[in-house]
């Protein structure tokens, strides 16, 4: 790099010897404004349904979600991401509930935007919550069809934008979907809808608890390796991001989070666009399980994990810890 003064002319510990010295030289900062809060929705009224593999996280009916989102907004969280747990009776192989303008997630979006216009609402664009086959795309004869899925995703994206979603997050990893969605949004006059593309999304073992949360776990046959990325690849992530940006994405995401911080850094350095990471359900479950055993200190592990995303170049993080952490940060002042 460059020559450093040798010890004892240089003593790196000088800068760590007191909290004020450490504060002065701290390079990255975690703020409530960096946090996007994913929440799970369920039909009904006054329903709070704990998710077994995600202690502290519950599926919420819209009325309960409104109360929680209001608290999150008051803590300075800029956006929530909505995930529906769909009535199994509404799951089909053609996934038409995905573009029902009155589906759970669209009703929730309208309710949140009406009551709390100050907070952003993001919706996932993918078919898995509505698919009898559990996949993100349409399945025929065991094959996940790309182009038919893209058509379905465009329909889904349009009803979501119509319902008032500020940000659409295509999480399906079909080829060409960003361009198709962007062109449809423009044609329908949704010029301000942001596309935050799940650009580098890996076929990960860390999504298990999420699939329980949205009720896709029992349905999914096989795995998602024909569309989600191979965890062994890094250059391919840059190509995926390049495609999505060229097709009209405004922002990109890397997912999962902590095992992929190298990808976050490469994406940020290569493209200099708003870059997000998703600290996924399995990452949350690991920290919670170890903390419950007393094997690690929850607060310091959570804050360290989120600060690491900022250090790796992320502009923000989707995390189930968002309200908890925003509360801690508010206490710290
Ligand atoms: C599916 C989707 C998944 C997640 C977000 N959107 C799961 C998957 O791809 O199987 C995972 C989030 C998490 O694990 O917290 N479109």
């Amino acid at each position: 790099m460059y020559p450093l003064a040798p010890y004892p002319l240089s003593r790196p510990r000088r800068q760590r010897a007191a909290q004020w010295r450490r504060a002065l030289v701290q390079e990255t900062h975690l703020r409530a404004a960096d946090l996007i809060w994913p929440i799970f929705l369920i039909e009904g009224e006054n329903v709070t349904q704990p998710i077994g593999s995600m202690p502290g996280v519950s599926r919420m009916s819209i009325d309960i979600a409104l109360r929680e989102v209001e608290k999150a907004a008051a803590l300075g969280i800029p956006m929530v991401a909505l995930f529906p747990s769909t009535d199994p009776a509404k799951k089909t192989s053609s996934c038409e509930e995905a573009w029902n303008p009155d589906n759970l997630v669209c009703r929730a979006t309208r309710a949140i935007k009406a009551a709390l216009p100050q907070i952003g609402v993001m919706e996932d664009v993918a078919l898995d919550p509505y698919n009898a086959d559990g996949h993100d795309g349409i399945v025929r004869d065991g094959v996940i069809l790309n182009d038919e899925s893209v058509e379905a995703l465009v329909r889904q994206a349009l009803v979501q934008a119509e319902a008032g979603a500020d940000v659409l997050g295509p999480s399906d990893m079909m080829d060409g979907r960003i361009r198709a969605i962007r062109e449809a949004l423009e044609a329908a006059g949704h010029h301000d809808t942001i596309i935050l593309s799940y650009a580098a999304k890996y076929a990960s073992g860390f999504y298990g608890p999420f699939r329980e949360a949205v009720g896709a776990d029992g349905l999914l046959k096989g795995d998602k390796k024909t569309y989600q990325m191979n965890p062994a690849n890094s250059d391919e992530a840059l190509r995926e991001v390049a495609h999505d940006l060229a097709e009209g994405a405004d922002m990109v995401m890397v997912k999962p989070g902590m095992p992929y911080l190298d990808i976050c850094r490469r994406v940020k350095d290569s493209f200099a666009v708003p870059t997000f990471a998703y600290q996924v359900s399995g990452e949350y479950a690991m920290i919670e399980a170890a903390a419950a055993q007393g094997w690690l200190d929850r607060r310091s592990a959570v804050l360290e994990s989120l600060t690491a995303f900022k250090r790796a170049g992320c502009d923000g993080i989707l995390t189930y810890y968002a309200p908890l952490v925003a509360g801690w940060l508010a206490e710290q002042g």
Side-chain angles (χ1 to χ4, degrees):
M1 218 160 61
Y2 45 80
L4 292 168
Y7 168 85
L9 305 181
S10 163
R11 288 180 184 266
R13 290 184 57 191
R14 284 183 200 126
Q15 295 184 3
R16 303 183 202 126
Q19 174 51 32
W20 68 264
R21 298 183 190 220
R22 295 190 291 273
L24 213 50
V25 297
Q26 183 165 326
E27 296 175 32
T28 52
H29 298 271
L30 182 65
R31 310 165 304 154
D34 300 323
L35 306 174
I36 299 169
W37 185 30
I39 63 174
F40 297 107
L41 299 164
I42 185 119
E43 293 288 355
E45 256 172 68
N46 200 23
V47 183
T48 305
Q49 206 178 72
I51 298 158
S53 53
M54 300 180 74
V57 177
S58 297
R59 302 178 195 92
M60 298 179 276
S61 53
I62 294 177
D63 52 334
I64 302 285
L66 272 174
R67 289 213 308 258
E68 296 303 316
V69 173
E70 184 170 13
K71 287 188 223 161
L75 287 166
I77 291 171
M79 184 157 80
V80 289
L82 310 182
F83 294 96
S85 171
T86 307
D87 176 357
K90 291 189 176 154
K91 297 190 185 193
T92 61
S93 289
S94 47
C95 309
E96 59 269 11
E97 182 64 6
W99 53 92
N100 170 4
D102 288 316
N103 68 20
L104 178 58
V105 87
C106 288
R107 275 182 280 125
T109 298
R110 283 194 290 271
I112 295 171
K113 290 312 301 182
L116 305 163
Q118 71 274 29
I119 193 162
V121 171
M122 170 170 167
E123 286 191 39
D124 228 49
V125 186
L127 301 176
D128 54 322
Y130 310 102
N131 196 344
D133 298 302
H135 277 286
D136 294 13
I138 290 173
V139 186
R140 198 179 306 135
D141 301 327
V143 177
I144 292 95
L145 303 173
N146 193 84
D147 300 7
E148 284 83 343
S149 298
V150 170
E151 280 176 34
L153 294 164
V154 166
R155 288 175 157 191
Q156 178 183 25
L158 284 173
V159 300
Q160 292 173 333
E162 201 57 51
D166 301 293
V167 177
L168 298 183
S171 70
D172 53 284
M173 289 295 279
M174 296 300 123
D175 295 333
R177 88 276 204 218
I178 299 298
R179 176 170 186 163
I181 292 170
R182 175 58 80 204
E183 286 180 348
L185 290 173
E186 283 297 317
H190 296 297
H191 307 304
D192 287 336
T193 306
I194 290 174
I195 297 180
L196 167 45
S197 151
Y198 288 65
K201 176 168 178 180
Y202 288 86
S204 171
F206 291 99
Y207 304 147
F210 173 96
R211 292 179 189 166
E212 181 199 336
V214 299
D217 48 342
L219 300 174
L220 184 65
K221 288 171 217 74
D223 55 46
K224 299 191 177 183
K225 289 180 184 169
T226 68
Y227 47 109
Q228 299 180 347
M229 282 180 54
N230 180 348
N233 294 353
S234 172
D235 291 344
E236 187 185 5
L238 300 187
R239 296 197 297 275
E240 284 286 357
V241 170
H243 278 301
D244 286 3
L245 291 172
E247 291 180 26
D250 303 287
M251 306 169 164
V252 295
M253 194 197 301
V254 174
K255 175 182 179 197
M258 225 164 33
Y260 296 87
L261 293 181
D262 58 323
I263 309 297
C264 297
R265 172 50 69 192
R266 284 193 82 189
V267 167
K268 187 64 177 178
D269 287 349
S270 304
F271 297 98
V273 295
T275 302
F276 294 82
Y278 199 140
Q279 182 179 52
V280 300
S281 56
E283 298 176 67
Y284 175 90
M286 284 195 300
I287 296 178
E288 286 303 296
Q293 297 282 338
W295 291 342
L296 48 74
D297 177 66
R298 181 171 182 242
R299 183 167 172 150
S300 60
V302 169
L303 288 171
E304 182 179 332
S305 71
L306 295 174
T307 303
F309 288 104
K310 295 295 301 288
R311 191 199 62 233
C314 293
D315 296 279
I317 310 112
L318 287 95
T319 174
Y320 302 100
Y321 284 118
L324 181 72
V325 168
W328 290 342
L329 296 172
E331 275 168 32
Q332 282 172 18

